[in-house]
Amino acid sequence: MARTKIALIGAGQIGGTLALLSGLKDLGDVVLFDIQEGVPEGKALDIAEAAPVEGFDARVKGTNSYADIAGADVVIVTAGIPRKPGMSRDDLVDTNAKVMHQVGAGIRENCPDAFVICITNPLDAMVYVLQQAAGIPTNKICGMAGVLDSARFRHFLAEAMNVSVEDVNAFVLGGHGDSMVPVTRYSTVAGIPLPDLVQMGWISQEKVDSIVERTRKGGGEIVSLLGSGSAFYAPASSAIAMAESYLKDKKRVLPCAAHLSGEYGVNDLFVGVPTVIGEGGVERVVELRFTQDEQRMFDQSVANVRELVDSCRKLGAI
Ligand code: APR
């Protein structure tokens, strides 16, 4: 059987981490693409030299040529610029929409059957631009945000209750911005819902509220700590979980920015919702029943995404 091929577009902080994780998890051969000369080749060689120590056989190649991504099974896109302290994800729209155009053309010409995961921000709008530019079916492309936002929420909850992160489950939905919606009712510790844990005295409502707020601003917290660049370890881990679910047909239920055609009352927009990811790509969108309050927050988040997509239209990126 032919080896699986994973193309990583963007060989920056997240791209390099994705390449290393793909190797460590034996997901397949890796092609690391970037417009910068030397960087993808250098990172690929460095990771290939870690392979004998770690014991993985993946071939890792760095390139500046889109022809090298031909036939890729999965493409993970991080090309573009990250934010600087004080910037919102939305400030990146002009530059990154143009980048998505180029990347989309590269995918269309070389691997139109791949499952594509977009990480570039502002996520929900960039995945839309990328899908249009690549001309691929909407079930074969999604954005990575929900797994990351939920992981941040899970980490904070586990720390506050002094329990293993493994036993904490959480859903964060909506757009990948400060209006994202951590759904506390569906967040659990070993199956026990968060509202019950509040009643049991495991955590106070005030603490839950502050964790929700910290989760919403989780990306910004790291941007200000780093001083330059944005988070890369957890974003890479999150995208790898999605790629693995597709490649191994695991059918994991993962929140991601998926194309909606009527679900949640939203038409023709990519927004963070729970999905099933398997060999068919985004195989299903899970429709939760919201309370009025949750619906209001979700609608606000969707409105923000729609505004960004409209500004991409005005820029001529769509
Ligand atoms: N084609 C391919 N690669 C590009 C292009 C392009 N047109 N433009 C920029 N790049 C490359 C850069 O050369 C750089 O190596 O994208 C890479 C981005 O890497 P970093 O600057 O290290 O950014 P990173 O932290 O990896 O984040 C990438 O993901 O989370 C989002 O907001 C973040 O949009 C940002 C993206």
Side-chain angles (χ1 to χ4, degrees):
M1 202 177 125
R3 285 167 177 247
T4 302
K5 181 167 170 179
I6 299 149
L8 306 173
I9 313 296
Q13 297 279 56
I14 303 180
T17 313
L18 286 168
L20 179 62
L21 287 175
S22 300
L24 291 174
K25 291 182 177 262
D26 259 328
L27 289 188
D29 291 341
V30 174
V31 175
L32 201 48
F33 172 95
D34 204 288
I35 47 167
Q36 283 191 69
E37 285 179 20
V39 172
E41 293 86 346
K43 288 198 180 183
L45 184 58
D46 195 7
I47 291 168
E49 289 167 356
V53 184
E54 293 293 344
F56 59 82
D57 288 310
R59 298 184 191 114
V60 192
K61 180 186 171 82
T63 184
N64 302 123
S65 163
Y66 271 113
D68 287 322
I69 72 166
D73 300 285
V74 169
V75 180
I76 308 180
V77 179
T78 60
I81 51 163
R83 39 181 179 152
K84 299 189 176 67
M87 280 173 103
S88 87
R89 294 183 181 92
D90 302 356
D91 296 331
L92 309 173
V93 74
D94 296 17
T95 309
N96 287 352
K98 290 185 192 109
V99 174
M100 290 307 101
H101 242 267
Q102 296 169 9
V103 177
I107 292 171
R108 193 179 57 229
E109 283 156 28
N110 296 286
C111 50
D113 298 326
F115 179 56
V116 178
I117 301 169
C118 179
I119 304 186
T120 302
N121 275 315
L123 194 266
D124 310 271
M126 291 306 102
V127 65
Y128 192 102
V129 177
L130 186 61
Q131 185 267 329
Q132 296 279 312
I136 55 177
T138 49
N139 63 310
K140 294 298 285 294
I141 178 166
C142 63
M144 186 296 297
V147 177
L148 170 64
D149 295 327
S150 304
R152 287 180 173 147
F153 196 38
R154 291 168 64 191
H155 163 69
F156 298 142
L157 288 171
E159 193 178 48
M161 286 183 270
N162 195 22
V163 294
S164 166
V165 284
E166 260 184 86
D167 296 319
V168 182
N169 246 299
F171 263 131
V172 178
L173 308 179
H176 185 49
D178 294 350
S179 61
M180 66 181 80
V181 189
V183 188
T184 49
R185 276 188 315 130
Y186 289 120
S187 301
T188 63
V189 173
I192 310 166
L194 208 41
D196 291 10
L197 291 161
V198 171
Q199 282 189 353
M200 287 157 62
W202 276 43
I203 188 166
S204 68
Q205 187 57 49
E206 292 71 41
K207 184 70 186 171
V208 172
D209 293 343
S210 76
I211 287 178
V212 164
E213 213 33 45
R214 190 173 176 195
T215 301
R216 286 197 171 120
K217 304 201 165 110
E221 183 177 0
I222 292 186
V223 169
S224 17
L225 285 169
L226 292 179
S228 81
S230 50
F232 52 100
Y233 293 118
S237 290
S238 304
I240 289 292
M242 293 161 66
E244 192 174 20
S245 191
Y246 170 75
L247 288 168
K248 298 185 179 166
D249 189 25
K250 289 179 79 158
K251 303 200 191 298
R252 290 197 61 194
V253 182
L254 297 171
C256 71
H259 186 264
L260 301 183
S261 341
E263 299 93 343
Y264 291 94
V266 178
N267 243 315
D268 193 29
L269 216 56
F270 285 83
V271 183
V273 289
T275 63
V276 176
I277 298 183
E279 63 180 347
V282 176
E283 296 183 346
R284 251 188 292 168
V285 167
V286 183
E287 276 195 88
L288 298 174
R289 285 185 188 189
F290 285 147
T291 61
Q292 271 188 345
D293 223 28
E294 289 160 356
Q295 187 70 52
R296 186 184 47 75
M297 288 193 280
F298 186 78
D299 290 346
Q300 179 58 54
S301 189
V302 169
N304 294 349
V305 174
R306 201 175 281 289
E307 220 173 279
L308 271 181
V309 170
D310 285 345
S311 58
C312 291
R313 270 203 191 92
K314 281 185 200 128
L315 285 169
I318 303 170

